[in-house]
Amino acid sequence: NNITYQDIADMWVHESFTTYSEALFIEYYYGKNASEAYIVGQRKHIGNHSPIIGKYNVNEEGSGDMYYKGSSMLHTIRNMVDNDSLWRQFFRDINKDFYHQTVTGAQVEQYMINKFQLPLGPIFDQYLRSSNVPILECKINGKKLEYRITNAVPNLTIPITLKTDREQFKVKATSEWQTLII
């Protein structure tokens, strides 16, 4: 609780980071594969019944998904950053720059956007303000794998690893059909 939220609607600021820190602990002691498995295991606890962010100015916390879905959001952002040194530095910097402050979720979101220079707005909208679950649609046509995401907020781009029998591909899925030669 080095940084705290101004309104209980943004309780995700505490709980998402705290829950994600469990995965970082596991990664430190047991390795990245164990951490990935832990994060995947957390996902079975996500209900997607309502948005993570509650209503502001009425003492209403958001969905209990702030723990596991919030952790998954941070892990998705880590995969978008794709630079563990920068990711670790972010944690040091946010704790230094917001030390003992009361902040809004919007401040934390903007801080991350500025720090990583990535278009994270749709990620925040999908994870924090929507309870819809994006769907990855895939179809194989000969040596072509076609894929897209549906049931998502506008302009969502999400990193996905697609695996075949022989290799794996890191792609950025959007709502538009994309083609990968396999």
Side-chain angles (χ1 to χ4, degrees):
N1 292 341
N2 182 37
I3 303 166
T4 196
Y5 49 81
Q6 203 170 71
D7 189 306
I8 197 168
D10 283 329
M11 199 166 150
W12 70 270
V13 171
H14 278 186
E15 306 308 342
S16 299
F17 284 91
T18 301
T19 304
Y20 189 67
S21 72
E22 296 170 8
L24 296 176
F25 175 87
I26 288 170
E27 182 177 338
Y28 179 81
Y29 282 100
Y30 303 104
K32 206 163 193 171
N33 288 340
S35 177
E36 292 276 344
Y38 186 78
I39 291 166
V40 169
Q42 287 180 338
R43 292 181 185 150
K44 68 182 173 202
H45 302 293
I46 299 171
N48 287 307
H49 301 297
S50 61
I52 287 177
I53 295 177
K55 291 181 185 156
Y56 290 103
N57 304 313
V58 293
N59 197 33
E60 180 184 308
E61 66 183 61
S63 162
D65 285 343
M66 71 182 81
Y67 301 94
Y68 302 115
K69 188 175 180 183
S71 174
S72 192
M73 173 188 72
L74 292 172
H75 192 65
T76 298
I77 294 170
R78 178 185 184 177
N79 282 304
M80 292 175 74
V81 170
D82 198 26
N83 180 328
D84 283 349
S85 295
L86 181 60
W87 184 245
R88 282 189 293 279
Q89 189 60 48
F90 157 73
F91 280 94
R92 291 183 195 99
D93 291 346
I94 194 170
N95 278 287
K96 179 180 60 95
D97 294 342
F98 289 130
Y99 182 72
H100 285 184
Q101 291 185 36
T102 303
V103 300
T104 65
Q107 284 176 283
V108 173
E109 290 176 43
Q110 192 59 53
Y111 185 86
M112 293 178 81
I113 289 167
N114 293 343
K115 182 61 91 177
F116 299 127
Q117 294 295 299
L118 291 171
L120 299 175
I123 291 288
F124 293 128
D125 289 343
Q126 185 67 53
Y127 281 89
L128 300 175
R129 291 177 262 286
S130 174
S131 57
N132 290 345
V133 180
I135 298 167
L136 175 64
E137 294 182 346
C138 296
K139 54 186 175 182
I140 297 176
N141 185 2
K143 293 202 175 270
K144 293 180 184 177
L145 171 65
E146 297 175 8
Y147 60 93
R148 70 175 179 180
I149 49 174
T150 61
N151 201 42
V153 299
N155 303 313
L156 181 67
T157 299
I158 196 158
I160 296 175
T161 301
L162 300 172
K163 296 179 182 180
T164 67
D165 294 340
R166 293 168 281 151
E167 54 192 317
Q168 69 180 28
F169 305 91
K170 287 187 174 191
V171 299
K172 293 179 180 178
T174 68
S175 62
E176 301 297 319
W177 282 106
Q178 297 174 67
T179 302
L180 184 65
I181 306 298
I182 53 174

